[in-house]
Amino acid sequence: MCGIVGCIGTEQAAPILLEGLSRLEYRGYDSAGVAVFDDQAGALSVHKAKGRLQVLSDQLHGGADLRGTVGVGHTRWATHGAPSDANSHPQVSHSGRIAVVHNGIIENYAELKAFLMGQGIPFTSETDTEVVAQLIEYFYEGDLLQAVGRVLHRIQGAYALGILCADYPDQIVAVRKDSPLILGCGQGCSFLSSDVTALLRHTRNVIYMEDGDLAVLTREGIQCYNHLMQPAEKEIVQVDWAVDAAEKGGYEHFMFKEIMEQPEALRRCLSPRIQKGEIVFEDFSLSEDYLQKMNRIYIVACGSSYHVGMVGKYHLERLTRIPVEVALGSEFRYMAPIVDKNTLVIVISQSGETLDTMAALREARRLGGHILSIVNVVGSSIARESDQVLYTWAGPEIAVATTKAYTTQLALLTLLALWLAKRLGTISDADYQAGVAGFLELPGKMDETLSHRDDIQYFASKYFNHDSIFFIGRNLDYALGLEGSLKLKEISYIHSEAYASGELKHGTISLIEEGTLVVALSTFSSLFAKAMSNVVEVKTRGASVLALTTQSHREEMAQTADAVMTIPDIHELLLPSLGVVPLQLFAYYVALMRGCDIDKPRNLAKSVTVE
Ligand code: F6R
């Protein structure tokens, strides 16, 4: 959602800003804009356009038209005011002196706007952001930092801000509260961005701003201040992501690239954590005392990360016999959750910035829970606010629809379940060893699953014209179906639902008619016979069945289902980790055949930083 970039150096800023914004396109947006300080005119030059970044870039000839070596840029995902040139950022104060780019929401903007309008200040947009630009100007008496400080005392909500002032042509002011902002420290140049991927081409030395931080970026370096406006020393962190990790590398879509990267991502995630047949979390542990008192586990997440939690619940309860609740980040704080100091709260997030998940984390912390997060983006807000973090090490995920983050989150949560069971003594040695052996096979078996992608492409070509698709499964296969269904609907725009197979006869079966496509998931061997009965049940009512099962059940399933996708046999714990791959590929190929914008599906954002 919304992306901010900023740079100050010796090179022309506009092409750098546009290139940086192109790296943030995946986050989701509907308009874009840049502001640079034009040193010959001695004023800010602001350009904005509704629609794709390319529209703006074409207008500015790739940025070549804009003079100046300092500027900020923005991709906007509309919240206050429809997508339009006027509502795009940067938002500028009435005199044109101050330009602001903003991610987040200013909650009390209406009240502040009414006040400013009462002072005769004209507004040109419907945005909450314009209030910030106008308010800085209102308080400005020649000292920019002082004016910004006064504004920060008055605005409420979430914000990452990049601020330019025509009277301060050699600096950019950055502010962060509840919305990510990262600073890049170059040689003779400084950068800001809401996402590290936009900085990688310029520098690997970054500062993760914390809530309440303010920073002044100059060519000579970056000075940070805390919420009391006192100078603050900040750690400079080296980012080790490869520059090309955030590029397509010859693939047509990021999503396909990321699907294909999964075996490698799993090797990165798992191999340091399995040593000589033992699970080893070098960066994480729980004391014997805590484990003995642990009375409940809560898993909190949104979207696909929530689906990981759904699988995790089955694994954790089966292996540890501790009650596990899975809650949506957006619901958690409104449901009076039962959390105390003996509750382990597992927070799952790829981006580490999802606002609802973050709010749930804070609520869980307030209630005294111990927070362990499973996160992909190093240094993200959720990672920083957790008591402990397990990183997935999946590398940058650019496609909006998550794939390799899902599989690494799931692998890590499953590994954690096995580790906890061992520590709690709720698993036999033989079962533990069998589980660990399964993990060692996982990346190779995922390679094998991916090598059958042509079969999935064929099934997609058979079924891509359906308007409504049902996913059914029991237990692990139900949790898997939730993810398969979400993947399909978000990128192909086909209506789809996932149901626990046993629920069909309680209502849903009335929707099954001649030709309805049902994706029947039956990878979980112990429930295969039950799954078969459900396949027969829907076939009898005219459904076409595309089944997913393991190699060893393929033949039997093929006697009833119309088409069968298969995965290699693997330890039961890891069936969903393999099973999701054909479902990702199916969604991908269906969306491809329907001509959808796969990496940037409509209305969606990669990192959901509003409630
Ligand atoms: C779906 C998808 C989303 C995210 C959700 C949570 O493909 O990517 O449903 O899983 O927005 O995002 P994170 O994991 O970044 O908190």
Side-chain angles (χ1 to χ4, degrees):
M1 249 169 205
C2 297
I4 287 181
V5 292
C7 69
I8 175 162
T10 48
E11 287 177 42
Q12 194 180 11
I16 297 176
L17 296 172
L18 291 169
E19 196 274 334
L21 289 178
S22 73
R23 309 253 156 210
L24 303 184
E25 277 189 286
Y26 77 95
R27 294 166 67 94
Y29 72 104
D30 43 52
S31 49
V34 292
V36 294
F37 179 75
D38 180 335
D39 26 18
Q40 288 184 29
L44 299 181
S45 170
V46 181
H47 300 265
K48 313 192 278 193
K50 181 184 159 190
R52 288 286 180 214
L53 179 62
Q54 196 58 44
V55 177
L56 179 72
S57 183
D58 287 348
Q59 280 174 14
L60 302 175
H61 299 103
D65 288 1
L66 291 189
R67 287 185 296 247
T69 55
V70 50
V72 290
H74 192 262
T75 43
R76 172 173 188 254
W77 193 85
T79 54
H80 293 62
S84 70
D85 291 359
N87 288 335
S88 307
H89 301 198
Q91 286 293 321
V92 181
S93 64
H94 61 95
S95 71
R97 191 201 315 256
I98 312 277
V100 173
V101 287
H102 166 217
N103 287 358
I105 290 178
I106 306 298
E107 283 162 3
N108 59 339
Y109 85 102
E111 181 192 319
L112 293 168
K113 186 168 178 174
F115 165 75
L116 289 165
M117 287 178 81
Q119 304 296 308
I121 294 171
F123 275 72
T124 56
S125 81
E126 299 155 271
T127 64
D128 50 339
T129 306
E130 188 179 358
V131 166
V132 180
Q134 302 285 19
L135 206 55
I136 296 174
E137 171 94 46
Y138 178 77
F139 286 123
Y140 182 68
E141 290 168 347
D143 184 335
L144 179 61
L145 274 196
Q146 196 178 56
V148 172
R150 293 177 76 181
V151 170
L152 297 182
H153 279 113
R154 283 160 179 87
I155 56 175
Q156 290 160 12
Y159 43 84
L161 301 169
I163 303 164
L164 273 190
C165 174
D167 295 349
Y168 287 80
D170 297 315
Q171 66 180 49
I172 304 173
V173 176
V175 182
R176 177 206 156 125
K177 181 177 167 276
D178 290 342
S179 195
L181 202 53
I182 301 161
L183 308 174
C185 315
Q187 295 282 337
C189 46
S190 302
F191 304 89
L192 76 153
S193 173
S194 33
D195 193 313
V196 83
T197 49
L199 300 176
L200 289 177
R201 296 208 142 240
H202 307 288
T203 180
R204 288 170 172 284
N205 297 330
V206 306
I207 295 172
Y208 293 100
M209 291 183 80
E210 281 170 60
D211 277 348
D213 282 354
L214 181 148
V216 176
L217 286 73
T218 64
R219 293 179 182 83
E220 292 70 43
I222 297 176
Q223 175 63 60
C224 292
Y225 298 87
N226 64 18
H227 65 286
L228 300 170
M229 289 293 213
Q230 293 159 335
E233 280 299 313
K234 288 277 162 190
E235 186 192 0
I236 297 181
V237 179
Q238 279 254 330
V239 180
D240 60 4
W241 282 356
V243 177
D244 60 1
E247 288 170 4
K248 278 194 206 151
Y251 288 96
E252 196 180 341
H253 296 102
F254 277 112
M255 182 177 176
F256 191 64
K257 174 180 179 245
E258 288 158 7
I259 290 174
M260 297 305 287
E261 279 173 354
Q262 290 180 107
E264 204 38 52
L266 282 171
R267 285 185 185 100
R268 258 199 319 272
C269 172
L270 293 174
S271 51
R273 291 168 169 143
I274 301 179
Q275 291 170 21
K276 299 189 186 122
E278 284 297 327
I279 301 169
V280 183
F281 290 120
E282 280 179 352
D283 38 3
F284 158 79
S285 195
L286 291 170
S287 72
E288 212 50 53
D289 184 48
Y290 183 83
L291 284 172
Q292 290 316 318
K293 290 185 183 146
M294 187 167 73
N295 56 10
R296 181 190 300 268
I297 297 175
Y298 247 111
I299 302 178
V300 185
C302 296
S304 293
S305 299
Y306 170 80
H307 297 156
V308 168
M310 293 290 287
V311 178
K313 174 182 164 76
Y314 287 115
H315 288 340
L316 281 159
E317 286 189 336
R318 194 166 289 146
L319 290 172
T320 67
R321 310 309 300 151
I322 291 181
V324 180
E325 300 278 341
V326 194
L328 288 164
S330 52
E331 289 290 317
F332 185 79
R333 72 202 126 135
Y334 306 118
M335 63 191 225
I338 302 171
V339 171
D340 63 25
K341 64 179 181 352
N342 298 321
T343 311
L344 177 65
V345 181
I346 304 176
V347 177
I348 308 177
S349 176
Q350 185 285 128
S351 60
E353 302 294 347
T354 303
L355 192 108
D356 282 323
T357 309
M358 175 60 123
L361 180 159
R362 288 181 180 162
E363 175 64 3
R365 171 184 289 277
R366 191 186 67 77
L367 296 169
H370 182 82
I371 318 285
L372 165 64
S373 62
I374 295 181
V375 172
N376 189 37
V377 178
V378 175
S380 55
S381 307
I382 289 176
R384 278 185 292 117
E385 291 202 20
S386 302
D387 295 309
Q388 287 173 303
V389 189
L390 285 171
Y391 282 112
T392 47
W393 298 325
E397 191 178 66
I398 305 297
V400 163
T402 182
T403 52
K404 62 177 179 171
Y406 174 93
T407 37
T408 48
Q409 287 168 349
L410 184 54
L412 209 42
L413 187 59
T414 308
L415 200 66
L416 179 70
L418 205 53
W419 179 85
L420 279 171
K422 174 86 188 286
R423 293 284 308 273
L424 292 165
T426 49
I427 190 170
S428 71
D429 277 353
D431 286 350
Y432 173 78
Q433 291 308 334
V436 173
F439 273 102
L440 296 175
E441 289 178 349
L442 181 62
K445 292 202 168 172
M446 193 167 283
D447 274 323
E448 192 184 330
T449 311
L450 287 166
S451 71
H452 297 302
R453 58 188 178 279
D454 289 355
D455 296 346
I456 314 288
Q457 186 167 17
Y458 169 69
F459 297 140
S461 72
K462 235 173 126 175
Y463 296 119
F464 78 97
N465 264 332
H466 281 256
D467 293 330
S468 183
I469 300 181
F470 294 91
F471 286 72
I472 59 169
R474 284 174 195 263
N475 197 274
L476 293 179
D477 286 319
Y478 166 53
L480 178 60
L482 292 170
E483 177 59 7
S485 167
L486 176 63
K487 214 79 307 167
L488 182 74
K489 74 184 105 181
E490 69 178 325
I491 60 168
S492 72
Y493 314 142
I494 296 177
H495 169 254
S496 109
E497 304 279 346
Y499 288 99
S501 311
E503 275 297 291
L504 280 180
K505 52 189 156 308
H506 299 291
T508 323
I509 203 152
S510 63
L511 294 170
I512 308 292
E513 51 183 17
E514 201 56 42
T516 306
L517 181 61
V518 174
V519 180
L521 309 177
S522 103
T523 65
F524 192 26
S525 200
S526 350
L527 293 174
F528 183 77
K530 299 259 179 222
M532 279 304 285
S533 337
N534 292 119
V535 170
V536 173
E537 205 169 61
V538 293
K539 285 274 319 166
T540 314
R541 282 150 185 92
S544 299
V545 173
L546 169 62
L548 173 72
T549 191
T550 51
Q551 204 61 49
S552 56
H553 286 107
R554 182 193 172 83
E555 252 176 55
E556 199 179 340
M557 181 55 89
Q559 286 165 19
T560 312
D562 297 276
V564 186
M565 307 183 274
T566 43
I567 54 169
D569 288 277
I570 194 161
H571 190 286
E572 180 174 287
L573 282 174
L574 300 167
L575 288 166
S577 296
L578 278 191
V580 75
V581 174
L583 304 184
Q584 296 168 343
L585 286 165
F586 183 69
Y588 173 79
Y589 287 124
V590 165
L592 193 66
M593 285 162 200
R594 290 169 74 99
C596 300
D597 189 353
I598 293 182
D599 284 338
K600 287 173 245 142
R602 69 182 177 213
N603 303 336
L604 287 176
K606 182 69 181 162
S607 169
V608 184
T609 49
V610 294
E611 187 172 348

